[in-house]
């Protein structure tokens, strides 16, 4: 069992930056790939970024966001730069046993989810 707790969301002006954190419980954090997803009101939850067990990463936001992990702290981060109004959403972190980038872009491949943290971007 893995419990995930996100933090770091808030209100930011367009063009600004935020860093989200996701703290995981348990001793097996390093055996999971970690992903970030987001869900805006009225929209489906969508893939943002993922990082594999070995540290390889992929994202869908064309380089504005960077995912990283610190296995010693059982934490995964999402650094978000040059935020745009369309980035506003609830951001969720999730844990998966897969290590393939294609699989890690799919919600159904994740076993554990956090409760989400709200990101609001003002114009």
């Amino acid at each position: 069992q893995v419990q995930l707790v996100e933090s770091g969301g808030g209100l930011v002006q367009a063009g600004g930056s935020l860093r989200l954190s996701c703290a995981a419980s348990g001793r097996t954090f390093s055996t999971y790939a970690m992903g970030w997803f987001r869900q805006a009101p009225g929209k489906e939850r969508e893939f943002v970024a993922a990082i594999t067990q070995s540290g390889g990463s992929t994202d869908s936001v064309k380089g504005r966001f960077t995912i990283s992990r610190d296995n010693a702290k059982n934490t995964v981060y999402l650094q978000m730069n040059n935020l745009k109004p369309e980035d506003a959403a609830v951001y969720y972190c999730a844990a998966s046993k897969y290590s393939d980038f294609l699989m890690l872009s799919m919600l159904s491949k994740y076993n554990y989810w956090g409760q989400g943290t709200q990101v609001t971007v003002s114009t």
Side-chain angles (χ1 to χ4, degrees):
Q1 188 79 3
V2 176
Q3 292 185 324
L4 304 173
V5 179
E6 302 97 333
S7 62
L11 173 64
V12 64
Q13 286 189 329
S17 298
L18 278 176
R19 188 176 81 155
L20 306 183
S21 299
C22 173
S25 66
R27 302 177 182 177
T28 60
F29 176 74
S30 63
T31 69
Y32 287 89
M34 300 298 295
W36 285 97
F37 291 78
R38 67 186 179 188
Q39 188 167 20
K43 295 189 176 181
E44 293 186 351
R45 193 170 298 189
E46 65 176 1
F47 171 74
V48 175
I51 187 165
T52 66
Q53 294 85 337
S54 60
S57 64
T58 183
D59 67 77
S60 67
V61 290
K62 296 180 172 54
R64 293 187 297 119
F65 295 0
T66 302
I67 188 171
S68 61
R69 66 189 299 160
D70 186 337
N71 289 340
K73 295 182 178 180
N74 279 14
T75 301
V76 62
Y77 304 98
L78 186 68
Q79 177 67 44
M80 305 187 294
N81 298 326
N82 190 23
L83 282 159
K84 303 177 180 181
E86 54 264 38
D87 295 318
V90 178
Y91 282 71
Y92 299 89
C93 73
S96 171
K97 281 294 189 179
Y98 288 89
S99 57
D100 174 79
F101 283 161
L102 178 61
M103 297 296 176
L104 292 176
S105 69
M106 302 177 185
L107 278 73
S108 62
K109 304 306 182 186
Y110 288 82
N111 306 94
Y112 303 102
W113 291 84
Q115 83 290 348
T117 185
Q118 177 73 51
V119 172
T120 303
V121 183
S122 65
T123 56

